[in-house]
Amino acid sequence: MNDSLAQGGVSVNVPQFSAPPVEGMSQVSVMNLSSAGAEASVSHPHEKRRTISLPDECRNVFITYSSDISTEIVPFVDFLTKQGFRPAIDLFDNPFRRMDINKWKDSYLKDPSTLIIIAISPKYKADIEGCVVDSHGLHTKYIHSMMQNEFIQHGSLNFRFIPLLFLNASKKHVPSWLLNTRVYCWPQDTEDLLLRLLREERYVPPPVPMELTLIIRPVAPSSAATL
């Protein structure tokens, strides 16, 4: 557009899509964290409280892990249960909930409402990339390949896989296809993890104005000659 036209013609009041000011945002916290050492939230004069009520089917959570963190998975499952979720662990390692692989695929992997937590540990990376010899590792590797296939089928977009670092694990142990998503640490990111399971964002931006204002001015003769 000609500069003179921009100055003396038509201008539009368009909202700027820059990062909103911090004072205009709200932060979401979770109350009543019974474990993991979460601190009680401090009351704020402008805070609002609302109750989250997840649909029953969204409370199912599947956890896949390797045998080196078996002792850590038990208290983790107990924590999720106390928060109202129904976690299921690697069914092939639990005689109380054992089922065949086809039933697992139908009940968890094919159900898009089930979020899947991938417990990252040094052995997990070895199980999915190396030559596995134990039965638990074989199942872990098979589950990983199915998750990766779903990820590829969805255009390399991650909708429900949650990588969670456990003790002695780092991002170098995370499968490469999951490095473009948020990686959580247990128990440091307890609250953020719960918000993810609740399908809630940590920060709520201020509302964007729904209306635009148009400013219409007569075009100067000198500017009209250049049209």
Side-chain angles (χ1 to χ4, degrees):
M1 180 183 292
N2 184 278
D3 290 342
S4 58
L5 180 59
Q7 295 173 3
V10 177
S11 62
V12 181
N13 179 19
V14 179
Q16 300 298 311
F17 293 97
S18 57
V22 174
E23 60 270 16
M25 300 188 70
S26 300
Q27 181 173 336
V28 179
S29 300
V30 181
M31 292 185 63
N32 302 326
L33 293 179
S34 57
S35 60
E39 298 180 356
S41 59
V42 179
S43 179
H44 188 279
H46 299 293
E47 77 175 14
K48 299 178 182 179
R49 301 188 181 190
R50 63 184 175 91
T51 302
I52 298 295
S53 181
L54 278 180
D56 190 65
E57 63 273 11
C58 292
R59 296 182 180 274
N60 295 321
V61 179
F62 181 78
I63 306 167
T64 177
Y65 66 100
S66 288
S67 58
D68 58 338
I69 57 170
S70 295
T71 57
E72 297 180 56
I73 291 298
V74 175
F76 177 63
V77 167
D78 182 61
F79 168 77
L80 292 181
T81 301
K82 290 178 178 178
Q83 305 309 315
F85 296 98
R86 289 192 297 268
I89 62 175
D90 192 333
L91 305 172
F92 312 100
D93 194 49
N94 186 339
F96 298 103
R97 310 184 78 172
R98 194 181 304 273
M99 66 171 64
D100 62 63
I101 190 65
N102 291 322
K103 190 173 181 181
W104 175 85
K105 287 192 297 184
D106 293 336
S107 60
Y108 291 107
L109 193 66
K110 290 185 179 180
D111 182 4
S113 65
T114 299
L115 295 181
I116 299 179
I117 295 177
I118 304 170
I120 305 297
S121 66
K123 191 175 186 302
Y124 184 85
K125 184 176 179 65
D127 283 344
I128 64 173
E129 294 183 355
C131 182
V132 184
V133 293
D134 61 282
S135 59
H136 189 160
L138 287 171
H139 290 304
T140 299
K141 186 171 186 176
Y142 181 70
I143 291 170
H144 170 265
S145 66
M146 296 178 68
M147 294 188 299
Q148 188 177 23
N149 287 338
E150 178 181 314
F151 174 77
I152 294 172
Q153 290 171 5
H154 285 86
S156 297
L157 296 176
N158 180 18
F159 295 103
R160 62 191 184 110
F161 302 125
I162 306 173
L164 181 63
L165 299 180
F166 276 78
L167 188 65
N168 299 324
S170 64
K171 284 194 175 182
K172 71 179 182 180
H173 298 114
V174 178
S176 58
W177 59 276
L178 281 170
L179 288 175
N180 65 342
T181 190
R182 168 74 187 273
V183 177
Y184 299 83
C185 296
W186 175 259
Q188 296 93 322
D189 297 331
T190 298
E191 191 168 60
D192 287 337
L193 175 64
L194 282 179
L195 288 173
R196 175 67 184 92
L197 295 176
L198 291 169
R199 283 79 166 174
E200 292 285 335
E201 296 291 340
R202 163 65 84 174
Y203 295 99
V204 180
V208 178
M210 298 299 293
E211 297 180 350
L212 300 178
T213 301
L214 300 180
I215 303 174
I216 304 174
R217 301 188 182 96
V219 177
S222 58
S223 300
T226 62
L227 294 178

